[in-house]
Amino acid sequence: MDLKKLYSLRSEFTIIGLTGRTGSGCSRIAELLSGDFKSIESKGLRSEKEFKDEIFKRKYAICKNYLSHDENWVPFVTIRYVDVLLFYILHKNGGNYKD
């Protein structure tokens, strides 16, 4: 499979692969990343006050302020592996059947 075309588009999108055992939190993280920034802020982000390192605290605040401003946060689209497997199986073994 030639992936040159896909890799040439890397500046236009980001792919994050989340893996883990059942109950490890992957689905929860995927749900948060596919929502708006306010939901991430209310359900998952820590407060700057929780950090002791002043440099890290400042960097954290800069990132948080940037992402919360206007349209800077773009929600991710969740692609579940079972959907990919289903499409692959249908493509590989599916037919053009009439009713």
Side-chain angles (χ1 to χ4, degrees):
M1 175 187 267
D2 187 19
L3 298 176
K4 289 179 186 175
K5 176 68 175 159
L6 181 64
Y7 285 130
S8 70
L9 301 173
R10 285 190 302 190
S11 63
E12 297 178 21
F13 64 90
T14 300
I15 295 176
I16 300 174
L18 300 173
T19 62
R21 293 181 173 205
T22 302
S24 65
C26 297
S27 298
R28 174 91 170 113
I29 295 295
E31 179 186 322
L32 285 172
L33 292 175
S34 64
D36 61 354
F37 188 75
K38 291 198 184 293
S39 68
I40 294 174
E41 200 169 24
S42 66
K43 295 178 184 176
L45 281 185
R46 294 165 60 183
S47 170
E48 292 94 357
K49 298 172 187 174
E50 294 181 41
F51 303 112
K52 294 179 181 177
D53 183 358
E54 291 299 320
I55 295 172
F56 182 79
K57 188 186 293 189
R58 180 72 180 134
K59 290 178 182 181
Y60 183 86
I62 290 169
C63 291
K64 186 176 175 183
N65 288 338
Y66 173 78
L67 291 174
S68 64
H69 188 265
D70 293 335
E71 299 295 318
N72 289 337
W73 171 257
V74 179
F76 285 84
V77 175
T78 303
I79 303 172
R80 300 177 322 146
Y81 76 93
V82 293
D83 298 335
V84 174
L85 288 175
L86 178 63
F87 286 130
Y88 178 76
I89 290 169
L90 289 175
H91 174 71
K92 201 73 169 158
N93 299 319
N96 194 4
Y97 302 106
K98 293 185 178 187
D99 293 328

